[in-house]
Amino acid sequence: MLVMKNVLVINMGLKSIRSIIFNQNGLKLGSSSLAINTAINDKCVEQSPNEWWEKANTVIHKSLRDSGNPHIDFITVTTSASCLVCIDENGNPLQRAFMVSDKRAEKEAAEIKQMPEFDEVYKDTGLDLTSSLMLPKIYWLKKHMPDVFEKTEYFVTPNDFLIYKLTGRCVTDYFNAIKYHYDAGKKQYPVNLLKRMGIDANCLPDVKNTGEYIGDVLSDIADELGINKDTKVVISSYDAICSFIGSGVNDEGESSDVSGTVTVFRTLTRKETCKSSKIYSMPYYNENAKIIGGSNNLGGGLIEWVKQCYYLNDEYPYEIMEKDAAESDIGARGLVFLPFLLGERAPIWDDNARGVFFGLERMHTRKDMTRAVFESTGFIDLSIIDAIKETGTDVSSVRLSGGLARINLISQIKADVLGKDVLVLSEFETTASGAAMMVLTGQNIYPDMKSASDKFATVRMIIKPNMENNKKYMYMYELYKESYKALKPLFKKRKELIDKLSNDKEIQIENL
């Protein structure tokens, strides 16, 4: 008799932490989630690793209880990437984590780029430097918080931190390691650059392949979490990669848009491609392919912001905002929204950029402003597709998942803006399902990812583009791009002004 294998996925995004249990056929047995608090001021975006672990404990207990306490064969972790956690020799965090959109390391990124040793690193990896990546954050810490730097045993990501808590081992996967400018081809960290920066390579996690067995859950941790002691910890990867896998992308030019707090847009190719400083190109060794694309700073988070601004008093805010947006016109009656509320990553990489309603008139209402925000989610995708095309890769179709895919109007807008079929997946939580697929494939429960995706990544509906609407959106998209281009120098000027005002007041946000 075949014994069904079960996978527990700890899935932590920027706004919540979830525990989701799947069986090997893709059936979700149970889940639980809790919001995570974020501390923000103009430069800093921080979260508490201790809060992550405490809430992981809570959601694991509840998901086990809700699913009837099944035997857990495997446990894996998928979180946001490029978030810096400094831990001591016992795995205890020495301070709050620097999240991916933290901007303190802008000057450090520029300084590292001027180092001769970085030229060789860039030549080998094709990865440019921005404040969102790991080495500038560590370098900033060395310069501005030397006491914490000296006490740090390991510089890790949230993925690595939670795996350390589970196993006592400091490891990462090669996709996460690339955020430290790890050369996946040569299988090494940039030793010469690290030496120049005064960073000990031994303080970075060991690098493993995805789907690899790391060790069993520590006995006392298994007791604490309420899981069986023979549970195997298997490494997957960070959320953007897992969500791509969980979207069931297998063929040339297929793409995924996963919009949770941020929008993650990536495509698969087996072609030779050109390097680009606008987006990432990562080797996907298990499928002899490349994953090309990037993530922005806010996707679904834009809708949360709209809710907080205009719909807090509505009983059903998402339904009302969708109705409002539908009652406005295509192009929001000439209103364009630049969605850069936290600066922007791919494809413009501008920490200074900020959100703008351009073209606001007396006639405009809440409906038009909501519509403009909705339409900006399509422009986000199109701007990343433009950067993907510059590498010589085409995008044929797009698979949609994440919380934003629950809003049908936004899915239709994306189809119309892109002028492509949009496939809405049955499982919105593709990050968790992708992590489970990596585990089951890596541990030979499935022979390949295609077999796993046939079980996990089914399509709920296909949305066809309205090409008449597409023509109208192309005019608005040009205005969107030109608005940013014109305002770019003013964003920098605004940043200089804000620095002079020195407003470091911290704001606590739940559900970023």
Side-chain angles (χ1 to χ4, degrees):
M1 180 179 175
L2 179 66
V3 178
M4 190 71 67
K5 299 293 185 181
N6 299 318
V7 184
L8 188 153
V9 180
I10 301 172
N11 174 17
M12 189 179 77
L14 295 174
K15 68 178 184 178
S16 66
I17 187 165
R18 297 178 285 284
S19 171
I20 305 169
I21 302 171
F22 295 97
N23 71 15
Q24 70 184 59
N25 284 337
L27 179 65
K28 189 187 295 184
L29 304 180
S31 66
S32 176
S33 67
L34 286 171
I36 290 175
N37 293 293
T38 305
I40 296 178
N41 68 18
D42 189 58
K43 294 181 180 179
C44 307
V45 184
E46 297 181 339
Q47 291 183 358
S48 166
N50 286 326
E51 181 186 354
W52 300 341
W53 182 243
E54 290 167 7
K55 289 185 173 178
N57 194 313
T58 301
V59 296
I60 287 171
H61 274 281
K62 189 172 187 307
S63 65
L64 288 167
R65 190 167 58 249
D66 289 352
S67 56
N69 292 301
H71 184 277
I72 302 300
D73 298 278
F74 309 109
I75 187 169
T76 192
V77 178
T78 178
T79 71
S80 299
S82 295
C83 307
L84 176 63
V85 186
C86 301
I87 59 175
D88 64 19
E89 66 276 8
N90 297 314
N92 298 313
L94 296 168
Q95 60 165 42
R96 292 189 300 196
F98 293 11
M99 304 308 288
V100 60
S101 48
D102 191 285
K103 304 172 190 67
R104 275 172 282 188
E106 290 172 336
K107 291 180 180 178
E108 284 68 29
E111 185 178 337
I112 297 169
K113 284 181 74 167
Q114 298 304 312
M115 296 178 180
E117 294 83 355
F118 180 71
D119 292 338
E120 181 181 353
V121 173
Y122 182 67
K123 181 180 176 182
D124 290 340
T125 65
L127 180 61
D128 209 342
L129 264 172
T130 71
S131 62
S132 67
L133 294 171
M134 295 297 282
L135 294 187
K137 288 184 173 74
I138 298 172
Y139 199 44
W140 184 95
L141 192 86
K142 180 177 184 286
K143 292 169 68 174
H144 299 277
M145 301 178 73
D147 290 346
V148 174
F149 180 85
E150 291 299 327
K151 292 176 184 176
T152 298
E153 186 75 12
Y154 296 113
F155 300 103
V156 297
T157 71
N159 249 57
D160 315 334
F161 168 71
L162 292 171
I163 287 176
Y164 192 100
K165 298 292 282 188
L166 292 169
T167 66
R169 296 189 61 194
C170 185
V171 297
T172 196
D173 64 280
Y174 75 87
F175 287 112
N176 261 304
I178 287 171
K179 302 296 187 176
Y180 297 84
H181 281 79
Y182 174 85
D183 188 328
K186 294 181 179 178
K187 296 186 178 180
Q188 65 181 30
Y189 286 110
V191 179
N192 292 334
L193 179 61
L194 290 169
K195 186 176 180 181
R196 171 68 179 266
M197 296 167 64
I199 298 170
D200 186 353
N202 293 318
C203 293
L204 305 184
D206 292 335
V207 182
K208 304 293 182 182
N209 195 13
T210 57
E212 192 170 335
Y213 166 64
I214 302 303
D216 289 355
V217 176
L218 296 169
S219 179
D220 59 329
I221 298 299
D223 289 338
E224 180 182 338
L225 298 178
I227 59 178
N228 38 286
K229 295 185 179 180
D230 61 345
T231 301
K232 298 181 184 299
V233 179
V234 177
I235 199 162
S236 50
S237 190
Y238 64 88
D239 52 5
I241 298 298
C242 288
S243 64
F244 177 81
I245 303 298
S247 297
V249 173
N250 291 291
D251 296 327
E252 180 72 34
E254 283 189 333
S255 304
S256 69
D257 165 345
V258 185
S259 292
T261 302
V262 306
T263 289
V264 179
F265 194 100
R266 280 171 168 73
T267 193
L268 180 141
T269 185
R270 293 181 173 87
K271 297 178 180 178
E272 287 298 318
T273 58
C274 305
K275 290 181 180 179
S276 171
S277 60
K278 297 179 181 179
I279 51 175
Y280 295 121
S281 176
M282 294 188 169
Y284 184 15
Y285 291 125
N286 294 355
E287 295 294 316
N288 192 28
K290 293 177 184 175
I291 299 173
I292 300 179
S295 306
N296 79 337
N297 273 337
L298 283 178
L302 296 170
I303 308 307
E304 293 302 309
W305 172 73
V306 171
K307 182 183 75 172
Q308 290 165 4
C309 287
Y310 306 125
Y311 295 91
L312 271 183
N313 296 323
D314 291 298
E315 186 177 358
Y316 302 104
Y318 302 107
E319 290 82 354
I320 297 298
M321 70 171 73
E322 184 174 13
K323 180 176 179 293
D324 275 0
E327 291 175 357
S328 180
D329 297 330
I330 290 174
R333 296 202 286 174
L335 187 61
V336 170
F337 178 66
L338 301 185
F340 313 134
L341 301 181
L342 289 174
E344 191 57 298
R345 287 185 280 161
I348 63 173
W349 301 102
D350 188 345
D351 288 338
N352 298 327
R354 286 298 181 271
V356 173
F357 281 108
F358 178 72
L360 195 61
E361 297 187 48
R362 176 63 182 83
M363 67 177 180
H364 286 128
T365 67
R366 178 179 81 166
K367 295 179 180 181
D368 304 309
M369 298 173 83
T370 301
R371 176 86 190 197
V373 174
F374 277 26
E375 291 178 346
S376 75
T377 66
F379 298 151
I380 288 167
D381 277 2
L382 190 53
S383 64
I384 296 177
I385 288 175
D386 285 348
I388 290 172
K389 287 181 176 178
E390 289 175 12
T391 71
T393 302
D394 293 324
V395 171
S396 56
S397 63
V398 180
R399 291 170 165 250
L400 286 190
S401 62
L404 208 55
R406 290 184 169 95
I407 302 177
N408 290 333
L409 177 58
I410 288 181
S411 298
Q412 184 65 61
I413 286 172
K414 288 185 175 182
D416 293 350
V417 169
L418 304 182
K420 299 181 185 298
D421 287 356
V422 163
L423 289 70
V424 182
L425 300 180
S426 301
E427 175 56 65
F428 290 111
E429 303 229 39
T430 48
T431 300
S433 60
M437 289 163 61
M438 293 174 102
V439 169
L440 294 167
T441 305
Q443 295 301 299
N444 299 313
I445 307 302
Y446 284 106
D448 51 43
M449 204 60 75
K450 176 68 168 64
S451 302
S453 64
D454 287 343
K455 295 287 187 181
F456 280 82
T458 58
V459 175
R460 180 168 64 89
M461 65 177 174
I462 298 175
I463 299 176
K464 295 287 185 180
N466 181 319
M467 297 311 293
E468 287 302 315
N469 291 349
N470 175 260
K471 292 177 184 177
K472 297 175 182 178
Y473 279 128
M474 289 307 96
Y475 295 124
M476 298 305 294
Y477 180 57
E478 288 302 314
L479 186 58
Y480 171 90
K481 291 190 294 183
E482 289 298 317
S483 298
Y484 166 69
K485 184 178 178 181
L487 288 169
K488 185 175 181 178
L490 288 180
F491 287 138
K492 184 177 180 181
K493 200 167 187 177
R494 173 194 175 274
K495 169 68 166 49
E496 293 168 353
L497 176 62
I498 292 296
D499 286 346
K500 290 177 182 177
L501 295 176
S502 299
N503 181 6
D504 288 328
K505 185 178 180 181
E506 182 176 279
I507 299 171
Q508 290 283 336
I509 297 176
E510 183 181 87
N511 260 356
L512 179 63

